[in-house]
Every structure is written in structure tokens, then in C-alpha cells.
Amino acid sequence: MSAARQPAVPGPKDAPVADLGSTAHLSDALRSVIDRLETARIVPTVRAHDAESADRLAHTLWGAGVRAFEFTATTPGWRELVARWTRQEPGGLLGLGTVTSASVAEAALEAGAHFLVSPFQVPEVRPVVDAADRLFVEGGHSPTELRAAALRGVAKLFPAHVGGLAYLRSLRSVLPGARIMATGGVRLETAADWLAAGAFTVSIGRELAEADDVPAALQRLRKRQEAGSDV
């Protein structure tokens, strides 16, 4: 008689979690980043055609009180940007978005990024961030994809405008407690609606970059957020 097959022992990131809102299975480092994202709620994406433009927008956001944002791997010179900002502004929470390979993830972590974000599932990045004990906000759209990402801390709904607020509310009903970052099609005038509908955080990119007065735009958004939104 063959020996009974033993069940696989789950790793720290694969531990079964009944409550998607639980962080008990996560490290202190991951919980700290998640807490800071929750405090920020609005996490801009700094995307530009060149490093100088991205740096200028980042300085504008910082001057407006934003302490959590992400550069993107599509911006030329992003490694130097991440390294410089994490060195010069240790009080900030800096991420790198559009992480689509293990090599980009490794370079971002070496530069000092506090968290990484992808637009879709990238399984090869997971062991890289696990080894470094960094948060990976993995993208997805289906409930299955988002549940898997949420178990690791925070999931990214992308593109959020496909399905809109109604879809987010449906996701929240079947994935109670899941921390979902809404990205893609979230506009300045609708960001508060996404937060009110249950988004853990929202990310706004192009509209902020193109705003005539970024601090004023952020102030209006914060006032709308504080006042609540009828969704």
C-alpha cells in the first residue's frame, strides 16, 4: 500500500484566509505599507514622457501634501527617480507601477521602491517581492484574479472604468474585506465616488499631470472626499 499523500504546507503568502480583510498572515513590513496606503487613500500615478517631467510633477504633488505615489516603469530614467526620491524623502511612500517582469521588479527594489504595482497578473514577480518582503499590488479584473491578489495584501482593479462603480460594488459583495485599488479611468471628479463605493485607494494619473493647478485640483478632491459622495 502506498503511503498516504501529505498535503502541501502553505507558505506565508499562501496561507488560507477566510477574511480577505485580515492582515494576520502578512509581515509587519507589509502591514505598515498597507496602513500607510489606507491613510493616503489617493495614490497618484506619476507617468511622463521623460524623467524631468515626472520629477517636476512629483515635486508638485509633494508640495501639495501628497506623501504616497508611484512612478512607472514606462518613464525613461525611472530607476534614478526612485532611488533619488527614496533617498531624499524618507518620509514618503514610493512605489513603482507597470511592473511586468521579474527583472523590472528586482531593479525597482534595488532602487528602494516601497511597493510595486502591475496592470495584470505577473506570477514571476511574486517570489521576488516575497524574498524582499515588499508589497506587490497585482492587477486583475475578474473576482478570481482580484481575490488572489487581495490575499497578498492589496489588489489592483484595472481598468476600473470597465464595469465602473457598479462592478466595484459587485466585487465588494463577493469579496468582502478585500483591499482594492481602483486604477484606470478614475477621474478627479469621480475619485471620491470610487472611495465611497468601497475602493481601498484610488490612483489618478493623466488628469493630474494635465491639470492647470494640481494643488487646487487635489484640494477639491479632498473636500469632496471628506464630504462623502452619493453613490
Side-chain angles (χ1 to χ4, degrees):
M1 179 180 297
S2 61
R5 183 179 179 182
Q6 296 298 315
V9 177
K13 299 299 185 293
D14 301 315
V17 180
D19 179 8
L20 286 172
S22 173
T23 58
H25 62 299
L26 302 176
S27 70
D28 290 343
L30 296 186
R31 286 198 294 268
S32 176
V33 173
I34 290 171
D35 288 346
R36 294 178 68 183
L37 288 174
E38 184 175 23
T39 298
R41 302 301 303 279
I42 301 163
V43 184
T45 298
V46 179
R47 186 189 304 274
H49 295 298
D50 56 76
E52 182 179 352
S53 298
D55 188 55
R56 186 164 52 248
L57 176 56
H59 276 289
T60 300
L61 292 170
W62 189 269
V66 174
R67 294 296 180 266
F69 60 87
E70 62 180 84
F71 289 114
T72 72
T74 57
T75 299
W78 65 263
R79 291 174 181 82
E80 292 75 15
L81 280 172
V82 171
R84 184 166 66 252
W85 272 86
T86 54
R87 182 177 63 253
Q88 294 179 352
E89 299 295 352
L93 185 67
L94 186 65
L96 182 74
T98 323
V99 175
T100 59
S101 70
S103 60
V104 170
E106 290 167 351
L109 295 177
E110 184 177 349
H114 301 120
F115 64 97
L116 306 183
V117 184
S118 72
F120 45 75
Q121 292 192 314
V122 193
E124 60 267 33
V125 168
R126 298 169 196 164
V128 175
V129 294
D130 287 349
D133 199 19
R134 300 290 176 85
L135 180 68
F136 181 32
V137 182
E138 196 166 10
H141 203 268
S142 71
T144 299
E145 292 171 336
L146 293 169
R147 180 183 184 277
L151 283 171
R152 299 176 58 83
V154 181
K156 171 179 172 175
L157 172 61
F158 181 82
H161 69 87
V162 178
L165 294 170
Y167 185 57
L168 175 61
R169 287 193 290 267
S170 294
L171 287 170
R172 293 280 297 162
S173 70
V174 297
L175 301 173
R179 290 171 289 271
I180 298 175
M181 172 188 285
T183 308
V186 177
R187 307 188 63 182
L188 284 165
E189 63 266 28
T190 63
D193 296 333
W194 285 94
L195 293 171
F200 182 67
T201 65
V202 294
S203 182
I204 306 171
R206 186 175 62 182
E207 273 204 327
L208 271 179
E210 296 177 349
D212 293 332
D213 188 336
V214 172
L218 286 171
Q219 185 177 29
R220 289 193 297 270
L221 170 53
R222 288 166 177 151
K223 287 182 177 179
R224 182 171 170 80
Q225 178 188 351
E226 292 170 359
S229 186
D230 182 12
V231 296

